[in-house]
mmCIF file of all heavy atoms in Angstrom:
data_model
loop_
_atom_site.group_PDB
_atom_site.id
_atom_site.type_symbol
_atom_site.label_atom_id
_atom_site.label_comp_id
_atom_site.label_asym_id
_atom_site.label_seq_id
_atom_site.Cartn_x
_atom_site.Cartn_y
_atom_site.Cartn_z
ATOM 1 N N TYR A 54 4.375 25.874 13.038
ATOM 2 C CA TYR A 54 4.077 25.379 14.466
ATOM 3 C C TYR A 54 3.723 23.883 14.297
ATOM 4 O O TYR A 54 2.971 23.440 13.435
ATOM 5 C CB TYR A 54 2.825 26.102 14.925
ATOM 6 C CG TYR A 54 2.537 25.624 16.447
ATOM 7 C CD1 TYR A 54 3.127 26.292 17.461
ATOM 8 C CD2 TYR A 54 1.595 24.615 16.660
ATOM 9 C CE1 TYR A 54 2.876 25.904 18.786
ATOM 10 C CE2 TYR A 54 1.326 24.311 17.968
ATOM 11 C CZ TYR A 54 1.916 24.920 19.008
ATOM 12 O OH TYR A 54 1.616 24.490 20.302
ATOM 13 N N CYS A 56 2.504 20.510 16.549
ATOM 14 C CA CYS A 56 1.974 19.988 17.766
ATOM 15 C C CYS A 56 2.982 19.015 18.400
ATOM 16 O O CYS A 56 3.363 18.035 17.706
ATOM 17 C CB CYS A 56 0.691 19.297 17.600
ATOM 18 S SG CYS A 56 -0.641 20.420 17.339
ATOM 19 N N ASN A 94 5.613 22.603 20.652
ATOM 20 C CA ASN A 94 5.203 22.774 22.040
ATOM 21 C C ASN A 94 5.385 21.455 22.776
ATOM 22 O O ASN A 94 5.495 20.441 22.230
ATOM 23 C CB ASN A 94 3.695 23.154 22.146
ATOM 24 C CG ASN A 94 2.835 22.004 21.772
ATOM 25 O OD1 ASN A 94 2.774 21.617 20.642
ATOM 26 N ND2 ASN A 94 2.111 21.563 22.792
ATOM 27 N N TRP A 244 -6.598 21.237 26.420
ATOM 28 C CA TRP A 244 -5.501 20.905 25.564
ATOM 29 C C TRP A 244 -5.371 21.789 24.304
ATOM 30 O O TRP A 244 -4.311 22.278 23.918
ATOM 31 C CB TRP A 244 -5.540 19.446 25.104
ATOM 32 C CG TRP A 244 -4.591 18.984 24.197
ATOM 33 C CD1 TRP A 244 -3.337 19.317 23.984
ATOM 34 C CD2 TRP A 244 -4.870 18.015 23.081
ATOM 35 N NE1 TRP A 244 -2.763 18.631 22.876
ATOM 36 C CE2 TRP A 244 -3.711 17.825 22.347
ATOM 37 C CE3 TRP A 244 -6.023 17.232 22.730
ATOM 38 C CZ2 TRP A 244 -3.681 16.980 21.275
ATOM 39 C CZ3 TRP A 244 -5.950 16.386 21.654
ATOM 40 C CH2 TRP A 244 -4.798 16.231 20.951
ATOM 41 N N CYS A 248 -2.233 25.233 22.339
ATOM 42 C CA CYS A 248 -1.581 25.339 21.030
ATOM 43 C C CYS A 248 -1.924 26.659 20.377
ATOM 44 O O CYS A 248 -1.085 27.324 19.764
ATOM 45 C CB CYS A 248 -1.895 24.170 20.148
ATOM 46 S SG CYS A 248 -1.048 22.634 20.614
ATOM 47 N N HIS A 263 1.032 24.979 9.939
ATOM 48 C CA HIS A 263 0.798 24.253 11.171
ATOM 49 C C HIS A 263 0.834 22.757 10.752
ATOM 50 O O HIS A 263 0.224 22.326 9.825
ATOM 51 C CB HIS A 263 -0.630 24.615 11.705
ATOM 52 C CG HIS A 263 -0.807 24.207 13.123
ATOM 53 N ND1 HIS A 263 -0.507 22.974 13.661
ATOM 54 C CD2 HIS A 263 -1.255 24.956 14.166
ATOM 55 C CE1 HIS A 263 -0.818 22.932 14.922
ATOM 56 N NE2 HIS A 263 -1.258 24.113 15.298
ATOM 57 N N HIS A 273 -8.627 18.301 17.559
ATOM 58 C CA HIS A 273 -7.649 19.262 18.036
ATOM 59 C C HIS A 273 -7.453 20.445 17.187
ATOM 60 O O HIS A 273 -7.579 21.595 17.605
ATOM 61 C CB HIS A 273 -6.348 18.514 18.344
ATOM 62 C CG HIS A 273 -5.270 19.316 18.996
ATOM 63 N ND1 HIS A 273 -5.531 20.119 20.116
ATOM 64 C CD2 HIS A 273 -3.961 19.563 18.623
ATOM 65 C CE1 HIS A 273 -4.424 20.780 20.440
ATOM 66 N NE2 HIS A 273 -3.435 20.375 19.513
ATOM 67 N N HIS A 274 -7.207 20.197 15.896
ATOM 68 C CA HIS A 274 -6.910 21.305 14.974
ATOM 69 C C HIS A 274 -8.215 22.016 14.564
ATOM 70 O O HIS A 274 -8.177 23.210 14.428
ATOM 71 C CB HIS A 274 -6.134 20.824 13.749
ATOM 72 C CG HIS A 274 -4.712 20.448 14.008
ATOM 73 N ND1 HIS A 274 -3.927 19.762 13.223
ATOM 74 C CD2 HIS A 274 -3.984 20.642 15.241
ATOM 75 C CE1 HIS A 274 -2.767 19.605 13.837
ATOM 76 N NE2 HIS A 274 -2.770 20.104 15.015
ATOM 77 N N GLU A 277 -8.648 24.247 17.460
ATOM 78 C CA GLU A 277 -7.653 25.343 17.418
ATOM 79 C C GLU A 277 -8.145 26.469 16.439
ATOM 80 O O GLU A 277 -8.004 27.667 16.797
ATOM 81 C CB GLU A 277 -6.316 24.820 16.937
ATOM 82 C CG GLU A 277 -5.388 24.351 18.063
ATOM 83 C CD GLU A 277 -4.016 24.062 17.451
ATOM 84 O OE1 GLU A 277 -3.386 24.955 16.811
ATOM 85 O OE2 GLU A 277 -3.523 22.905 17.617
HETATM 86 ZN ZN1 LIG B 29 -1.502 21.050 19.215
#
Side-chain angles (χ1 to χ4, degrees):
Y54 184 88
C56 282
N94 73 294
W244 170 38
C248 282
H263 195 313
H273 184 49
H274 290 167
E277 267 189 58

